[in-house]
Amino acid sequence: MIARSPMKVIYEPPLRTIMIAGAGGFAGRALCDWLARDGAFRVVGVDDFGAAPLPREAGNFVAFDRSGDCDALTALMATEQVDTVVAVDPGADALIAATMRYAAVLHPQLRDVLRLVVVGRGGRREPAMTVTHGALYGPGASDDDLIPRTIAAALAGEAIWVDRPGLGVPDWLHIGDYCDAIGAVLLRGLPGGHYHIGARDGRTLLSTVAMICDLVDRVAPRADGRKHRSLIRFGAACAEPHRAIAEVPARLEGELGWRARVSLRDGVIALIDDALVGQRRARPGHHPCACSGPKSSATGAAVAAPAR
């Protein structure tokens, strides 16, 4: 009988326990998934989930009314031994107040460990770190947002509506880059510091829609031979148009070594490919292995059918 030496298991506890307010929204949900992905962070997500079931695939999610109960939130932080709070939800004032109360009852040696990151507001909150960011897009965004709405309309051959005059200039930021930047701030950001997350990829709403149309032309040309740009229509004037963001991510790039990795074009190409896959799966009689031949991606490059 062969003797075997016992296997040595090394357990490394998470670096931080993070409470995220707004965990049910687009940015908050993606951030929970990203932070819990490799086990380096323990995540507690807080939001008003309403009748929706609590997500279970990443972190421990707790339903709280949006108005918040400072005492209950403070108790939850103590129970979960939270050392970092990220307020993603613009209406997270109750959580911020609870964080200050929680900090007041911490042992003096632990107060310096507690971190508060307020996302989406430019105002200074000592000792909180504040984060602003460009216009978010990517997998999981609302179907009503400009980019997924344009892709869906173009693939369906329907009118593509743009708020008049379509000249707002958002700094488009992929959700993956957003999460990566928040992670950099959590690990290396300075208390009281202000950081702006941007991809330096600003373009007008109209040029964004036109680019999407051109990319869809490559993979799903219209039966009548016309370009998808001909589907663009102008709606009512936008009450609050996007404006070019004056801030640039210089501090993130210089101090924390962060840079956006996903260009708007590459991010849109991935979303178009995902939409096409969804369309094929929705067709009656579709089988995942029923590949009739090579297919093309929005890059224009041929994608070989999987080997049988």
Side-chain angles (χ1 to χ4, degrees), residues 92-146:
D93 289 329
L95 181 74
I96 296 171
T99 304
M100 297 299 100
R101 183 178 300 182
Y102 176 54
V105 300
L106 284 176
H107 189 281
Q109 294 180 347
L110 298 177
R111 292 180 187 176
D112 292 338
V113 176
L114 180 66
R115 290 189 168 200
L116 172 61
V117 180
V118 182
V119 182
R121 306 182 189 185
R124 298 282 179 147
R125 291 172 179 263
E126 298 294 344
M129 291 178 281
T130 57
V131 176
T132 54
H133 56 80
L136 299 178
Y137 75 98
S142 169
D143 292 340
D144 295 330
D145 288 353
L146 178 73

Side-chain angles (χ1 to χ4, degrees), residues 275-294:
L276 289 171
V277 170
Q279 281 189 347
R280 287 196 291 269
R281 288 176 177 172
R283 291 172 186 166
H286 167 76
H287 189 278
C289 294
C291 303
S292 56

Side-chain angles (χ1 to χ4, degrees), residues 66-101:
R66 184 174 295 273
S67 59
D69 181 337
C70 288
D71 292 334
L73 284 169
T74 303
L76 179 62
M77 290 179 197
T79 300
E80 299 288 350
Q81 298 183 346
V82 171
D83 54 39
T84 302
V85 177
V86 181
V88 177
D89 190 337
D93 289 329
L95 181 74
I96 296 171
T99 304
M100 297 299 100
R101 183 178 300 182

Side-chain angles (χ1 to χ4, degrees), residues 25-238:
F26 170 46
R29 180 70 174 271
L31 187 58
C32 287
D33 292 341
W34 191 91
L35 291 173
R37 183 175 54 190
D38 58 5
F41 300 100
R42 181 169 169 269
V43 177
V44 180
V46 176
D47 205 340
D48 179 8
F49 292 92
L54 298 181
R56 293 295 179 190
E57 67 276 11
N60 174 31
F61 291 84
V62 181
F64 261 93
D65 185 82
R66 184 174 295 273
S67 59
D69 181 337
C70 288
D71 292 334
L73 284 169
T74 303
L76 179 62
M77 290 179 197
T79 300
E80 299 288 350
Q81 298 183 346
V82 171
D83 54 39
T84 302
V85 177
V86 181
V88 177
D89 190 337
D93 289 329
L95 181 74
I96 296 171
T99 304
M100 297 299 100
R101 183 178 300 182
Y102 176 54
V105 300
L106 284 176
H107 189 281
Q109 294 180 347
L110 298 177
R111 292 180 187 176
D112 292 338
V113 176
L114 180 66
R115 290 189 168 200
L116 172 61
V117 180
V118 182
V119 182
R121 306 182 189 185
R124 298 282 179 147
R125 291 172 179 263
E126 298 294 344
M129 291 178 281
T130 57
V131 176
T132 54
H133 56 80
L136 299 178
Y137 75 98
S142 169
D143 292 340
D144 295 330
D145 288 353
L146 178 73
I147 290 178
R149 173 164 50 86
T150 300
I151 293 174
L155 291 176
E158 300 172 351
I160 301 171
W161 291 95
V162 181
D163 290 331
R164 191 180 303 275
L167 300 180
V169 187
D171 180 14
W172 294 108
L173 177 66
H174 191 272
I175 189 65
D177 284 332
Y178 164 85
C179 293
D180 189 50
I182 295 293
V185 171
L186 289 172
L187 290 175
R188 303 187 296 278
L190 299 177
H194 173 71
Y195 301 91
H196 177 72
I197 311 173
R200 301 178 185 266
D201 205 350
R203 63 179 72 199
T204 66
L205 300 179
L206 184 57
S207 66
T208 300
V209 170
M211 179 195 70
I212 295 172
C213 290
D214 294 343
L215 292 172
V216 173
D217 281 338
R218 299 186 177 191
V219 293
R222 294 175 61 184
D224 59 7
R226 301 182 67 186
K227 300 295 184 182
H228 283 89
R229 287 193 183 206
S230 64
L231 298 173
I232 296 176
R233 304 288 186 272
F234 289 97
C238 183

